[in-house]
């Protein structure tokens, strides 16, 4: 239930070893096991860019903190297209965000 950008603002650059990006959806259903929030609501990994995580803001905050380490992007399938096409689409999305961060970082 914590905002990732707010969380990053409270960290020192030295505290960030690597970054694991994934987009999520929060379900009203309460569960006892699996990924869930502190209040028990279920959390599902969703296709990159379709969930509630503001990935552009997260990457921009990491760039502001001069993070230059590794990024891992967790993949979730997208209905209606092949796995290969979904991977390509997710990769293009992250690359577009990254390029916009470069433009912001130059100023």
């Amino acid at each position: 239930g914590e905002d990732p950008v707010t969380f990053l603002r409270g960290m020192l650059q030295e505290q960030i070893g690597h970054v694991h990006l994934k987009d999520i959806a929060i379900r009203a259903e309460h569960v006892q096991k699996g990924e869930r929030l502190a209040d028990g609501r279920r959390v599902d990994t969703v296709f990159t860019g379709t969930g509630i995580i503001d990935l552009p803001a997260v990457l921009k905050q990491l760039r502001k903190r001069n993070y230059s380490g590794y990024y891992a992007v967790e993949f979730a399938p997208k209905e209606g297209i092949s796995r290969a096409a979904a991977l390509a689409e997710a990769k293009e999305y992250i690359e577009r965000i990254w390029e916009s961060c470069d433009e912001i970082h130059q100023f």
Side-chain angles (χ1 to χ4, degrees):
E2 187 170 21
D3 174 50
V5 175
T6 302
F7 178 77
L8 283 170
R9 286 187 185 128
M11 294 188 78
L12 300 173
Q13 177 186 1
E14 301 81 35
Q15 294 175 301
I16 306 171
H18 75 279
V19 174
H20 179 131
L21 299 171
K22 78 175 182 178
D23 216 344
I24 63 167
I26 299 172
R27 309 293 181 204
E29 172 189 4
H30 283 68
V31 293
Q32 298 296 316
K33 295 181 181 179
E35 287 193 73
R36 61 189 186 278
L37 299 178
D39 66 6
R41 285 180 293 162
R42 179 176 149 186
V43 174
D44 290 331
T45 303
V46 296
F47 185 73
T48 307
T50 64
I52 64 167
I53 304 299
D54 187 349
L55 294 172
V58 169
L59 289 176
K60 288 173 189 172
Q61 187 60 224
L62 287 162
R63 289 300 295 260
K64 284 181 184 178
R65 303 188 100 38
N66 294 316
Y67 175 71
S68 61
Y70 292 98
Y71 290 84
V73 180
E74 188 164 330
F75 174 75
K78 184 175 184 181
E79 283 190 41
I81 63 174
S82 71
R83 181 175 180 81
L87 283 166
E89 187 177 322
K91 180 180 182 274
E92 289 169 8
Y93 173 75
I94 293 295
E95 287 172 342
R96 276 195 314 274
I97 294 171
W98 191 250
E99 288 170 9
S100 72
C101 289
D102 282 340
E103 292 166 9
I104 291 167
H105 195 65
Q106 291 173 2
F107 292 104

